[in-house]
Amino acid sequence: MEAIERHLKEHREDHLAQLKSLLSIPSISALSEHKGDVRHAAQFLSEALTEAGFENAEIVETAGHPVVYADWLNAPGKPTVLVYGHYDVQPVDPLHLWQSSPFEPDIRDNQIYARGASDDKGPTFMHIKALEAILKENGELPLNIKFCIEGEEEVGSAHLEATLEAHKAKFQADLVLISDTTMLAPDQPSICYGLRGLAACQIDLRTANSDLHSGLYGGAVPNAVHALVELLDTLHAPDGTITVDGFYDEVVELSPAERLEYEKLPHDDEAYRKSLDLPALHGEPGYSTLERLWARPTLELNGIYGGFQGEGTKTVIPNEAHAKITCRLVPDQDPNTVLDLIEAHVTKHAPVGSTVTLIRQEGGHPYLAPYDHPAIQLAAQAYTKAYGVQAVFTRMGGSIPVVETFSQLFHIPIVLMGFGLSDENFHAPNEHFSLDNFDKGLRTLCYYYLNLPTVLGNAPN
């Protein structure tokens, strides 16, 4: 390990220069004008994997943006790890809020600023460099490695599942390793063992066959905006509880042991409130803030629109109004079942004079791993060795649908080893990534890879 750590120190500037080159590519998967840039990023990674010593590097075509594959399969009898990451990034708007150009990486105060620095080019790149260091210094890897780096994560991984199914043998492994989650704090490494799922929909409410003059019709006909507000108010009780019949029926409650562990974590409600400039926190009664964030389901109104939106006044009674809703789901909630329940609720509570339609959108299942699995426990040991602080186990409130995809297709353990921080502005202006976590994260990954064959060999799939 000493030679590997020396290698990482000696090549640090080269690694950062390569990372800057990757971050300079505007691989925005949501915008068609950047289709060429997305492919450029895929080609960059394919070449970087080859230079690092991996074999069979190729760009796997999909119906959308490509997947980058590469492997090193020269450890017969040893387990195989599939490393997943994504090279696509979010749009950069609003551009004027960036302190430096989003695709001209800038290092300030030991942070590297660029779109994709934290989500997910930086962490994905770390796996390539950690394994390269082991390969260069030891002449071989202690286990077999495959890479799956996609270009559509930020737009829902629409074509990844079909690609994995079509090339199942190519991507088959004994464990999936992902670095697309966050640590609890800069000085508190953490292993995420649970993710919330997602169910999304849009509600369209209509009344008359057109907008109506408020003087000629006001007081005699229903107003679509009023009706929508009335309908949406039926989704929650004042205390934050979701009032959709059956919504909580399949929810698996936290175990007493998990609740006790969460109480030990370094979270301060008052500091959290102040950081958000909120007069008070709010949420489902009977649960702590961390429990609400990680292990309880939600139903959120993401947007409401209808009626006149322009400057000045327009005396109109709107005939349609719309709301966008997403639910974060926990084990054992099913996104389709949840949308069935919401559809039944809005149909039942449709205000007089209105017609309500629910349009189903994307969804993903929640994921929960047994955190006593040896491969996950080894991750905690790797963090502790690199950071000098005992790692803790957490869930994450966000969703990574691809985790459930890997779980369903391959039925193998999935380990989530994140190195980003929740305040690093991913999806927002001034995204950045801590170079302290870059350095310590490389050491963490090296320790993990070097010791994984022993524990994985004894771990049940």
Side-chain angles (χ1 to χ4, degrees), residues 90-137:
Q90 284 276 328
V92 298
D93 309 272
L95 187 59
H96 71 278
L97 294 181
W98 285 81
Q99 295 179 22
S100 54
S101 175
F103 296 110
E104 294 178 8
D106 185 35
I107 294 177
R108 306 191 298 271
D109 300 322
N110 207 36
Q111 311 277 343
I112 185 166
Y113 285 79
R115 173 60 87 226
S118 182
D119 181 22
D120 181 41
K121 288 180 177 178
T124 297
F125 182 77
M126 287 165 59
H127 284 270
I128 300 174
K129 293 296 123 180
L131 289 164
E132 179 186 44
I134 297 173
L135 191 55
K136 299 291 186 186
E137 292 301 321

Side-chain angles (χ1 to χ4, degrees), residues 138-179:
N138 294 353
E140 62 181 5
L141 296 178
L143 73 179
N144 300 297
I145 296 290
K146 296 178 178 180
F147 276 89
C148 173
I149 310 176
E150 70 156 319
E152 295 187 323
E153 196 275 344
E154 298 294 5
V155 289
S157 301
H159 302 102
L160 182 63
E161 183 172 356
T163 302
L164 293 174
E165 288 180 338
H167 303 276
K168 196 169 182 179
K170 179 189 292 287
F171 292 102
Q172 185 68 55
D174 298 297
L175 177 142
V176 178
L177 184 56
I178 300 175
S179 293

